[in-house]
Amino acid sequence: MKIQVSTPIMSYMKLLESQGITDIEELSDKLYEHYQQQVSLGLYSNGRYTESGSNVKATVISTHGDKNEECILWCMNHYLGLNRNQNVIDKVCQAVQKYGTGSGTSALSGGMSILHKQVEQKLQKLIGKESVLLFPTGFTTNIGCISALPGKKDLLIFDRECHASIIDGVKLSGRKWVTFKHNNVTDLEQKLNKYKNEYENIFVIVESAYSMSGDLSPLLEIVQLKQKYKFFIYVDEAHTFGIYGQNGAGYCSHLGIVEEVDFIAATLSKATASIGGFVAIKSKYIPLLHWRASTYTFQACLTPADAAAILASLEEIEANPRLIESLHENNHYMRNRLKDLGFDLGISVSPIIPIFIPDTDTLLAFNKELYARGIFSVSIFYPVVKPHEGRIRFILSAVHTKEQIDTTVNTLHELGLKYSIISPQLITAA
Ligand SMILES: Cc1ncc(COP(=O)(O)O)c(C=O)c1O
């Protein structure tokens, strides 16, 4: 079978594996050859990096060294732009002076400073659960907690669009698991009904907002199911913590279901512009997680500077409610303009806007030209999403300006017509 040079690396790898190629040398050689071809043709967008760090505007350097001056960036998860906030930066600098750089060891071996403890206390108060455990990253929060919590006779049921860190945690747990159709409460209920008598406990794992599709979880309905079926709920608030709820307490808090959700996890690398993750829980789970979540037990803590950035970001969110408001205003403005132009945004609502472009070659060419016009975002393909559900994703920030949004939408409009992604009729009608 002839492989097109545009085939994304992950899809190509899946194809090679399906052809029985398992040897690491053979697989690596084929992938490397394919990768080099993509790099030389400017089709490998994933290796790009910025000259001056994450921002809404930056000079971007491609894998073969070309510079793209002053791009507008739509691929950063810094929803509130706090990574560039002067108060946050000042507090981080002061923390480095006072507490030094690395943390030295894991939390259980003395790696936590008073700053780390303050982060846990602040998060605990904000979310309103009995306790909070701080992990080194959001990824390892999920891996650690999800692998540690279920017992031998338990079942894990998770949404099919859950993040890799959740899937890895489930696999690492070694427990039985099944998935349910994305955001489909009927399918979830069928699974609960089928398995309710077979297991000691059932854990239902979802995200509050899904990073590939920008849609919110039907959490109220899932919580309602708890009255009929007994189960634990684990919610990953990676894409809602800091940007929904009072002072950014998250989507569970916004919906008033903090009590009903047993485990609320989130990352601190997105809205709070640092690194780290946490789980908010009843205090009784602490010793179990200390000693069964190996990413807690055996991994070094985040650094004092990271902790200072989290604390300062939370203080900024509290002191300046306009931050969250501006993010949602930007989201509505950009989303409505794109919808009026006829772009397919799926069922997204959160400040993640996917534009669906089912044909892979069109998606690649479209994104390549967009980048040449100074607009940088990443395309997402199978197997990360289903075949023919490829998309280009725009992550909004409170600090994107109206001018940047307008420039982006106008360019998308022009290219949308050129690549027949939208039709001129729809635009006239709008
Ligand atoms: C839903 C979800 N959970 C967890 C993570 C991992 O967070 P981090 O990259 O901060 O470790 C991500 C990261 O993109 C995510 O989208």
Side-chain angles (χ1 to χ4, degrees), residues 77 137-140 142 163 165 207 211 236 238-239 267 269-270 276:
N77 289 295
T137 68
F139 203 102
T140 54
N142 281 338
H163 189 257
S165 54
E207 292 174 28
S211 58
D236 179 355
H239 293 276
T267 174
S269 68
K270 301 186 192 298

Side-chain angles (χ1 to χ4, degrees), residues 287-327:
L288 180 112
L289 287 175
H290 272 181
W291 296 104
R292 208 149 83 173
S294 55
T295 56
Y296 189 86
T297 324
F298 300 110
Q299 194 179 194
C301 292
L302 57 164
T303 72
D306 301 324
I310 298 161
L311 276 176
S313 292
L314 291 172
E315 282 161 15
E316 283 301 306
I317 295 171
E318 210 175 306
N320 184 4
R322 274 299 297 153
L323 271 174
I324 295 181
E325 284 165 17
S326 308
L327 171 69

